[in-house]
Amino acid sequence: MPRQYDLNHTRNIGIMAHIDAGKTTTTERILFYTGKTHKLGEVHDGAATMDFMVQEQERGITICSAATTCFWKGNRINIIDTPGHVDFTVEVERSLRVLDGAIATFCAVGGVEPQSETVWRQADKYNVPRLGYVNKMDRTGADFLSVCAQIKEHFGATALPVVLPIGAEDKFEGLVDLIYNNAIYYYDDKTVRDNFELKEIPESMKAEAAEWRAKLIEEVASTDDALMEKFFEDPDSITADELLAAIRKATISMQIVPMLCGSSFHNKGVQKLLDYVMAFLPSPLDLPPVTGMNPKTEQEEVRHASESDPFCGLAFKIATDPFVGRLAFVRVYSGKLDAGSYILDTRSGKRERISRIYQMHANKQNPMETVGAGDICAAVGFKEIRTGDTLCAENAPIVLEQMTFPEPVIGLAVEPKTQKDLDKLGIALGKLAEEDPTFTVHTDEDSGQTVISGMGELHLDIIVDRLRREFGVEINQGAPQVNYKESLTKTVQHREVFKKQTGGRGKFADIIFEIGPADDGAMGLTFVDQVKGGNIPKEFIPAVQKGFASAMANGALAGYKMDSMKITLLDGSFHPVDSDQLSFEIAARNGYRAAAPKAGSVIMEPIMNVEVVTPEENMGDIIGDLNKRRGQVTGMESKGTARVVKAKVPLSEMFGYVTVLRTISSGRATSSMEFSHFEEVPANLAKEIIEKASGKRKDIE
């Protein structure tokens, strides 16, 4: 079957922003204007199409990214609506990895907020071209040009207004389009799709519009030599089509970010946004072809976005649907995928059968026979595909770039309320961990407790809620725990001799090694073998390495995981009869236990970037409270009438902070926090943590 839609007319875009900038409302309006829905869904009523989870409807926030497809003027747009809350940052991360372009939404009052910075950096990481959309132009204090200036200041990006608002706040009536040089007036009618009319630019704005249009042409001309010549001869001779083509080119090469504005809630400016998504953001053909590694030859290979190339795609999300079972969301980069065909999962090296393919619309599935390059679909019927796996044709294996996920920072002990919930709990946690790579489950060996870990209090709260509702498991939960780590600060030498004689064959191993911190940036175990003259036979060296690697999971101070260390094996000896691999492995583990404290082992704790927006009168109390929490205030600035306090605070001190903040400021201040880095715990607190955990250590005799 030939393709229904030309790839040139396909856009894969995501909507990303800070909490409450209006991502879901904008998506709802896009669905309405493209004819996908016939009634406007509102977030605050819990009726938004894209927020289909019960938890999302109750709280009015987006938790999991939802995909949909809609059509605009003969073009097809695949949209992913992403969450804004920092606890669900993984959803944004994996969506941006597979998208071709993004709409970065900003609030016209709040401007650039902390989470806007996070998502912007994520988009930079995957080189995603973007449009800026300044929403909520109808609110008091809205200022479009100031938000454009903030983007320049914070991100160093060339934010280029392609429209100007007519009026602001409650007088916001429409837009001046600087490219076509006309005005669009909107009227608030929720029943019709063409709720605007084109007019002349009002007299009062002609001078301003001409000034900004000249700026726009100048900025765009600097990216294109042919336009530059025209600009110097006669700026007025540049046509709208030439401008569009040059802006498109500069947007795709990430030289500029075109800025639009509107008020999604009042249905103003969304159609223009759609027009310019089509005009400026790339189709799958505009982007360079994907490169990956062939696992057999270890050579780099290229796949073009065409159906004639062999199939390859990336599974970027696993979801569980109560009716269909497990869905794998796949972005197809090349070739085509048919329902019922076999593919290869390069991570596991196994064949997988894809029995059915769906096009997603929030949580509804439309079955499809085949999908081709540049599409996003959901596949069913597989056995063990995970997030981030490369799927490809069996005869042409390829591994695409992996996604990286942040480590969980907070843990919670859970137990089922009744015995019959026990089995259900295991299955449910397994399913949730499959869906979300930042959510992990492990059993504490000593206490036998099941500990779940995630990105923040809200993240775990939602998980506990889903356990109860979706899986019908009632649980008791403990107090939240911080995920500490251990690290080494200096290098020491140590000799470890392990011998056991119990009659018959004994155990013997003798190793001399150096233990210390790993080289900058290296993760995991760096192992260097410097044994000369066969003092330790070659077959025992991997066992020593394995012993040290397994010991790292359980630190010598308080049993917390160690991320990195360097071991240099210098010398040792063996017994021709009594030595075996296990002896050397145990010697390495015991050696780690004995030597790590001498190598200046310290406990590291997660530090958070906290940002508090507060009225001036509460500022002193808030800073005082942050200091009490061992926080370091890193900066203060004004934002309108409010003050912004930025600080770095340990996570262990931030539990229940939102409630305290409400009390201090009588509910007027807001805060947001995101993970920054790990830092050493002060000595007096480290002692407490070690004492608490002293029951955790296990030495191998």
Side-chain angles (χ1 to χ4, degrees), residues 413-608:
V414 294
E415 61 179 30
K417 279 194 178 163
T418 59
Q419 196 56 39
K420 69 173 194 310
D421 282 340
L422 188 64
D423 297 342
K424 280 191 334 204
L425 178 68
I427 298 166
L429 288 175
K431 281 188 176 168
L432 290 169
E434 229 176 10
E435 278 183 37
D436 183 349
T438 56
F439 169 68
T440 56
V441 181
H442 75 271
T443 306
D444 191 305
E445 289 178 0
D446 310 311
S447 60
Q449 279 181 318
T450 304
V451 178
I452 57 174
S453 310
M455 297 302 295
E457 287 182 89
L458 177 66
H459 186 188
L460 293 180
D461 201 23
I462 299 279
I463 288 230
V464 170
D465 197 35
R466 282 186 66 186
L467 281 175
R468 197 176 75 239
R469 290 197 185 167
E470 279 174 43
F471 301 98
V473 181
E474 291 291 337
I475 56 169
N476 299 323
Q477 55 192 64
Q481 304 288 326
V482 176
N483 286 358
Y484 294 104
K485 287 190 174 163
E486 292 187 25
S487 166
L488 302 175
T489 53
K490 57 185 188 228
T491 302
V492 294
Q493 197 169 325
H494 180 79
R495 178 171 192 177
E496 185 69 32
V497 180
F498 172 71
K499 52 177 180 224
K500 249 189 176 167
Q501 206 64 46
T502 49
R505 210 175 141 189
K507 298 262 185 223
F508 179 83
D510 167 19
I511 51 174
I512 301 172
F513 60 92
E514 254 182 16
I515 177 168
D519 303 333
D520 281 350
M523 292 307 279
L525 174 66
T526 312
F527 186 78
V528 183
D529 171 18
Q530 288 186 357
V531 179
K532 301 274 190 305
N535 288 348
I536 301 178
K538 283 279 176 254
E539 64 264 29
F540 296 149
I541 302 277
V544 177
Q545 186 171 350
K546 185 182 164 194
F548 281 119
S550 63
M552 283 172 69
N554 219 346
L557 284 180
Y560 292 108
K561 187 175 161 208
M562 195 172 278
D563 267 352
S564 64
M565 74 173 177
K566 183 175 180 180
I567 297 282
T568 310
L569 187 59
L570 302 168
D571 202 2
S573 63
F574 74 107
H575 187 283
V577 177
D578 289 355
S579 288
D580 57 5
Q581 285 173 335
L582 185 62
S583 308
F584 276 96
E585 193 178 321
I586 295 176
R589 284 194 213 169
N590 289 352
Y592 168 80
R593 289 258 171 260
K598 296 180 203 162
S601 198
V602 292
I603 288 181
M604 312 289 278
E605 62 178 348
I607 305 287
M608 310 302 276

Side-chain angles (χ1 to χ4, degrees), residues 76-123:
R76 182 171 68 155
I77 310 178
N78 294 319
I79 302 176
I80 296 184
D81 176 30
T82 65
H85 201 286
V86 64
D87 285 16
F88 310 111
T89 183
V90 59
E91 292 283 342
V92 185
E93 180 96 16
R94 55 184 173 192
S95 305
L96 286 173
R97 165 72 179 82
V98 297
L99 291 171
D100 304 331
I103 304 174
T105 313
F106 297 93
C107 167
V109 183
V112 174
E113 295 178 270
Q115 196 53 27
S116 326
E117 296 188 28
T118 312
V119 292
W120 194 275
R121 284 200 299 276
Q122 285 171 317

Side-chain angles (χ1 to χ4, degrees), residues 628-683:
K628 259 196 330 225
R629 296 172 184 271
R630 301 195 282 129
Q632 286 176 327
V633 176
T634 54
M636 285 177 245
E637 54 192 63
S638 299
K639 198 178 251 179
T641 54
R643 289 297 174 94
V644 180
V645 181
K646 293 184 177 175
K648 288 197 177 330
V649 192
L651 175 67
S652 55
E653 306 283 346
M654 289 300 288
F655 291 136
Y657 180 63
V658 176
T659 321
V660 174
L661 185 66
R662 279 186 196 142
T663 316
I664 297 177
S665 68
S666 325
R668 290 167 70 192
T670 56
S671 72
S672 62
M673 81 174 174
E674 58 181 12
F675 172 70
S676 163
H677 62 283
F678 273 92
E679 201 170 274
E680 190 180 325
V681 175

Side-chain angles (χ1 to χ4, degrees), residues 220-235:
V220 175
S222 67
T223 63
D224 187 308
D225 296 341
L227 266 189
M228 196 68 161
E229 282 177 26
K230 263 189 119 171
F231 173 71
F232 282 133
E233 284 166 20
D234 177 15

